[in-house]
Amino acid sequence: MSDIPFTLDQLRILKAISTEGSFKRAADSLYVSQPAVSLQVQNLEKQLNVPLFDRGGRRAQLTEAGYLLLDYGEKIITLCQETCRAIEDLQNLQGGTLIVGASQTTGTYLIPRMIGCFRQKYPDVAVQLQVHSTRRTSWGVANGQVDLAIIGGEVPSELQDTLKIVPYAEDELSLILPVSHPLAKADTIYRDDLYKLKFIALDSQSTIRKVIDQVLTRCDIDTKRLKIEMELNSIEAIKNAVQSGLGASFVSVTAIEKELRMGVLHRARIEDVEVRRILSVIVNPNRYRSKAAEAFCLEILPQFANQLKKFDLSELMPQGLESGQK
């Protein structure tokens, strides 16, 4: 037996089985045969002298020892990935990978434009965009699986001391109406007009819906009085529904730029009300920061930041790296 009784391949197989729920699907995801996966697991259990899976059920269920090995295995794999990226950095942005995370709205409408600018300058860097809920994105940054992220929701309380959270930009949540709606002819509408409208909203359990409700409440808008006629599962579906005359909605202004240019949606102004939320950049200061990530922070983020005075680029940089320094 070697000093370390498992290999990286075996750890990757263990993780794949846990993720996919079966040996067959894990084999398919790794592009190997199912017998090869089964043999690796058998060898691993023999080397560790402990069962890793409870084979009584239909789904591959980890034993207590299996969960323990998976927990440490994921950390080992992440460190190996960081090591490879650090070595790639020696090529000075002539290769390597940048992994950017985002919550739904920013990941759909803002980050792709940022990545486009970055790729024009650094075409040899592979860029991955991971769009998930704010919670899942925050954990990705904390675990070192994501270099940096831009989020619109609140970082989980258990991660707020781990991550560096830097206010980045203000995102306006606009009230959109069908262009044929009577209120679309008014320069501004009043707060009480909101309670007469039929609203189309995201599912009440979605993170974006909760953030929008919180922001509206801070603007003294009683969300319980809003008449929710329809709930849809995507912002694109909501925009199409409003465009078709089915109701009104609050969406990020970044999500409706094209529709406003085309004149197919009306952006209504509410007297004495500005509905805005703060977008934040999050990084893990205790994880390795690649040159690609530093270049993204130094060269791309400032291009898209608005006039939010709290934004301080130096807060994102590792200690000793000042803005403009590479």
Side-chain angles (χ1 to χ4, degrees), residues 217-279:
T217 300
R218 289 200 296 267
C219 293
D220 295 324
I221 295 171
D222 186 355
T223 57
K224 294 180 180 178
R225 292 179 60 191
L226 298 179
K227 298 174 184 176
I228 308 298
E229 294 287 321
M230 187 184 304
E231 290 186 344
L232 302 175
N233 63 0
S234 78
I235 294 173
E236 286 298 309
I238 286 176
K239 291 192 298 181
N240 288 332
V242 174
Q243 185 177 332
S244 299
L246 299 179
S249 189
F250 281 100
V251 298
S252 167
V253 70
T254 61
I256 55 172
E257 292 178 354
K258 180 178 69 175
E259 288 78 9
L260 293 179
R261 286 196 304 269
M262 296 172 61
V264 296
L265 286 175
H266 175 73
R267 179 183 178 188
R269 307 286 182 179
I270 308 170
E271 187 174 58
D272 298 326
V273 174
E274 285 191 351
V275 185
R276 297 177 180 271
R277 64 172 178 165
I278 302 299
L279 300 180

Side-chain angles (χ1 to χ4, degrees), residues 181-311:
H181 195 282
L183 288 177
K185 298 177 176 61
D187 292 333
T188 59
I189 67 173
Y190 300 98
R191 195 188 308 264
D192 286 344
D193 289 328
L194 298 176
Y195 306 125
K196 303 172 187 175
L197 294 171
K198 296 179 180 179
F199 276 90
I200 303 167
L202 290 165
D203 181 89
S204 60
Q205 298 304 310
S206 74
T207 302
I208 306 174
R209 168 76 176 275
K210 292 176 181 177
V211 170
I212 290 175
D213 285 351
Q214 290 169 0
V215 174
L216 292 176
T217 300
R218 289 200 296 267
C219 293
D220 295 324
I221 295 171
D222 186 355
T223 57
K224 294 180 180 178
R225 292 179 60 191
L226 298 179
K227 298 174 184 176
I228 308 298
E229 294 287 321
M230 187 184 304
E231 290 186 344
L232 302 175
N233 63 0
S234 78
I235 294 173
E236 286 298 309
I238 286 176
K239 291 192 298 181
N240 288 332
V242 174
Q243 185 177 332
S244 299
L246 299 179
S249 189
F250 281 100
V251 298
S252 167
V253 70
T254 61
I256 55 172
E257 292 178 354
K258 180 178 69 175
E259 288 78 9
L260 293 179
R261 286 196 304 269
M262 296 172 61
V264 296
L265 286 175
H266 175 73
R267 179 183 178 188
R269 307 286 182 179
I270 308 170
E271 187 174 58
D272 298 326
V273 174
E274 285 191 351
V275 185
R276 297 177 180 271
R277 64 172 178 165
I278 302 299
L279 300 180
S280 298
V281 181
I282 57 174
V283 296
N284 187 340
N286 300 313
R287 290 283 184 178
Y288 172 75
R289 188 85 56 82
S290 69
K291 288 184 179 179
E294 290 175 2
F296 193 88
C297 289
L298 286 168
E299 302 171 31
I300 304 302
L301 289 182
Q303 295 182 36
F304 290 83
N306 59 21
Q307 299 303 313
L308 185 61
K309 295 180 180 179
K310 296 178 182 178
F311 176 51

Side-chain angles (χ1 to χ4, degrees), residues 16-126:
I17 297 171
S18 174
T19 301
E20 301 295 336
S22 77
F23 281 48
K24 183 180 185 307
R25 288 197 295 271
D28 291 342
S29 70
L30 296 172
Y31 302 101
V32 297
S33 67
Q34 182 176 343
V37 166
S38 298
L39 180 61
Q40 286 281 22
V41 171
Q42 290 172 11
N43 290 338
L44 182 58
E45 289 178 323
K46 185 183 297 183
Q47 290 161 343
L48 294 172
N49 195 29
V50 65
L52 299 174
F53 289 95
D54 180 0
R55 293 172 170 80
R58 295 181 61 184
R59 180 180 175 87
Q61 183 67 42
L62 288 167
T63 63
E64 184 177 359
Y67 277 114
L68 182 65
L69 181 60
L70 176 65
D71 183 43
Y72 280 98
E74 288 179 332
K75 295 174 183 176
I76 291 168
I77 292 170
T78 297
L79 283 173
C80 289
Q81 291 169 339
E82 286 187 13
T83 303
C84 292
R85 291 165 64 191
I87 293 173
E88 288 173 344
D89 266 353
L90 295 177
Q91 300 175 36
N92 194 27
L93 291 175
Q94 297 303 308
T97 303
L98 171 67
I99 304 175
V100 182
S103 49
Q104 294 291 336
T105 305
T106 55
T108 303
Y109 301 102
L110 176 63
I111 305 293
R113 285 183 282 166
M114 292 182 165
I115 292 175
C117 291
F118 182 83
R119 289 279 295 162
Q120 286 182 354
K121 193 163 188 179
Y122 301 107
D124 295 325
V125 177

